[in-house]
Amino acid sequence: MIKTESLKFSYDGKKYFDFPDINLDSGENLLIIGNSGIGKTTLLHLLAGILKPESGSISISGTDISKFSDTELDKFRGDNIGIVFQKPHFISSLTINENLKLAQYLSPSKISGDAKKILESLNIKDKYQQKPNQLSEGEKQRASIALALINSPSLILADEPTSSLDDFNCNNVIKLLKKQANDHKAQLIVITHDARLKKHFKNNLNL
Amino acid sequence: MNIFKLSIKNLFYRPLSSLLSLLLLALGVSMISLLVLINSVVQDQMNNNLKGIDMVVGAKGSPLQLILSSVYHVDSPTGNISLKEARSIEKNPMVGNSVPLLYGDNYEGFRIVGTNEKFIELYNLSIENGSFWDNEFEVVVGKKIATKLNLKVGDTFVTSHGLRETGEAHTNTPFTVVGITNFSNSVADQLILTSAESVWGVHGDHTHDDKEHDHDEEHDHDEEHDHDEEHDHDEEHDHDDDKEITAMLIKFNSPMNVIQFPRYINENTNLQSAVPSYEISRLFKLFGFGIETINLLAYLIIIVSGISIFITLFNSMKERKYDMALIRTLGGSRLQLSSMLVYEALVLTISGFILGIILSRLGLAFISSLMESSFNYSLNSYGILNDEFWLLAISIFIGLIACLIPSIQVYKMDISKTLSNE
């Protein structure tokens, strides 16, 4: 269950953002769509607790995170939110397996998923011992989904996951994301300017 | 996986720059530690050998040479003095104890010292095996020599003339080992001791075809004896007149005598007196400047290593900003992120320190083996000295300073900005 109310944010008092309310029941996914510069990433960062709103409230699974301190936000994010970035990020000095282990270490209070099972379901089990830079782009993206899923989050945020992909891969990735979110009983919010994704989501929010 | 392991992995991920910082620190630490070690070992050895010797009397020459030859047995003697003059000094009421030393020969490069039982008292020697000498041509061998040359009681050997192995061999007068001393941690461990009579016996041997020649090389140092001795001797000297010794170690009755007596000898006799503690502190002063310079250089290297760690961390922050943002999005706190950099710096400095300490021990072993072969001196001290704890503290401090700015920057990092710049 994700709920935002009269969410406002500004960068240094200059750029103002006024976001429409989100009201998402558990088990529902959401596509947030909008053009560049409209505050998509800002909204994603607010939902992820990376940014704090100027006013308004954000409630995730019944917890209002808008008044949390930085440390509380870090902990909440580690336990409850998985983020899939447009460009996959990893700790480059660690293997894929070690990346997953580190994610588990960083959120110790959470009973986390089985790294091997997750990699298996994403078809990259054999990349287990490899460093991120040894993976192909497609493999990297799947590994980054594994990283987002490892701590069994209740919410998965995906930032432009398909913008650089062709139609075929775009379909595959979004199906994969939806399937994984469903399998892990997590809600999926995708933020994008990619109109191709509209047909995959019941709930659309235009910014 | 935890933050500390992550730091280690990060260091191995940039092996060359980690290695550079590590080696610089190890180099600085090992230089300082080696200096500290050598200083402490040399001073220990020097002071240990100085016990009970207030003054040394010998032939005119360099006072430092006199001390080095007769107290530390490393340099050549300044020459010989007549036994008669030595005896007259012995009689002086200010003199408490005196030990005669007589050089002439060596065996396999180890010096044979003719002396008497007072030498044994002075260095507090005890016999491990056998007994002290009773007769001429009997020797007691220092522990270190016995081990090195595998000498046992009952063995005989022929000495060679002078202080080097290459001297002419005295084949007519073989020496017999009658005793081996216990380890005394003094110069006595690397000396072969015998009676003065034995040394006179070897060289006073008139079966030599050319006595003049023999005399010449007996003291291969320029000895200028003006033989105008004061003829006011008041007692029996039989045949002692033409006998000579090399030097005499003297302990005074009162410590106050050290002020007047050496000067009295230097001004009123043909002999030279030297005060070991004074000469040794002069020697250390001579070394001091060089040691200071090397020390300074070593600290400079440690500081450069700190700068190198700083640059490595600072540069890596640019490459790693997404890694760090990712750690935060995965639930890592600011503190965890900063501590990652602190660990990286500390692992580098502490392992650099340990490497430096190991290097300094290897260096000491190397220098010791050099000293052993050229002076029969060895330096053994492989424990951690107090000064080295200071060095550890300094290394850690340098590491902390080097990671201060990077870890503060990481602490303040705006992950939202970092992530949206992708």
Side-chain angles (χ1 to χ4, degrees), chain A:
Chain A
M1 214 182 68
I2 291 119
K3 241 174 127 174
T4 69
E5 256 172 57
S6 46
L7 209 50
K8 283 190 175 64
F9 186 82
S10 75
Y11 286 103
D12 309 323
K14 279 177 205 156
K15 263 168 114 181
Y16 288 92
F17 294 104
D18 206 339
F19 296 107
D21 291 354
I22 296 170
N23 203 335
L24 205 59
D25 287 333
S26 49
E28 283 187 324
N29 297 334
L30 176 66
L31 181 73
I32 300 175
I33 196 157
N35 292 322
S36 314
I38 207 153
K40 291 195 305 284
T41 302
T42 306
L43 180 57
L44 180 117
H45 286 179
L46 286 169
L47 290 172
I50 291 171
L51 289 175
K52 284 195 249 185
E54 211 164 78
S55 66
S57 70
I58 306 164
S59 152
I60 295 169
S61 310
T63 312
D64 183 1
I65 64 165
S66 55
K67 300 285 177 292
F68 271 12
S69 72
D70 283 354
T71 321
E72 285 170 318
L73 280 175
D74 288 335
K75 189 178 178 328
F76 185 83
R77 188 186 322 120
D79 288 349
N80 299 290
I81 299 169
I83 305 173
V84 178
F85 296 100
Q86 177 179 6
K87 191 172 175 294
H89 295 309
F90 302 95
I91 312 295
S92 30
S93 59
L94 301 181
T95 64
I96 296 302
N97 180 45
E98 287 166 340
N99 267 283
L100 295 172
K101 288 270 159 58
L102 181 71
Q104 290 175 323
Y105 166 79
L106 291 172
S107 125
S109 53
K110 194 75 184 196
I111 303 156
S112 54
D114 182 340
K116 275 189 186 156
K117 254 188 201 157
I118 293 174
L119 290 175
E120 199 169 9
S121 72
L122 289 162
N123 255 331
I124 44 169
K125 199 184 152 202
D126 53 330
K127 307 295 171 192
Y128 185 75
Q129 295 285 21
Q130 297 196 346
K131 291 265 167 70
N133 59 12
Q134 294 170 302
L135 269 59
S136 73
E137 287 305 312
E139 288 164 346
K140 273 187 202 167
Q141 188 156 36
R142 274 178 280 160
S144 79
I145 294 172
L147 205 51
L149 289 171
I150 185 70
N151 287 332
S152 317
S154 55
L155 171 62
I156 295 169
L157 295 170
D159 187 8
E160 303 277 15
T162 58
S163 55
S164 57
L165 302 177
D166 58 33
D167 289 353
F168 176 74
N169 281 308
C170 169
N171 268 336
N172 280 351
V173 165
I174 204 68
K175 276 182 190 159
L176 183 66
L177 271 174
K178 280 171 73 179
K179 181 180 181 300
Q180 291 291 337
N182 188 46
D183 290 353
H184 287 83
K185 296 181 181 62
Q187 283 178 282
L188 176 66
I189 296 181
V190 174
I191 295 185
T192 188
H193 71 273
D194 188 349
R196 291 175 296 179
L197 296 183
K198 277 185 181 171
K199 58 178 185 245
H200 294 279
F201 288 87
K202 261 196 304 185
N203 301 315
N204 287 358
L205 179 70
N206 281 298
L207 279 186

Side-chain angles (χ1 to χ4, degrees), chain B residues 107-127:
Chain B
Y107 174 59
E108 303 274 335
F110 292 100
R111 296 177 180 209
I112 297 171
V113 181
T115 182
N116 57 23
E117 62 288 343
K118 284 182 185 165
F119 187 92
I120 290 155
E121 285 165 29
L122 177 66
Y123 289 103
N124 213 0
L125 301 181
S126 57
I127 288 287

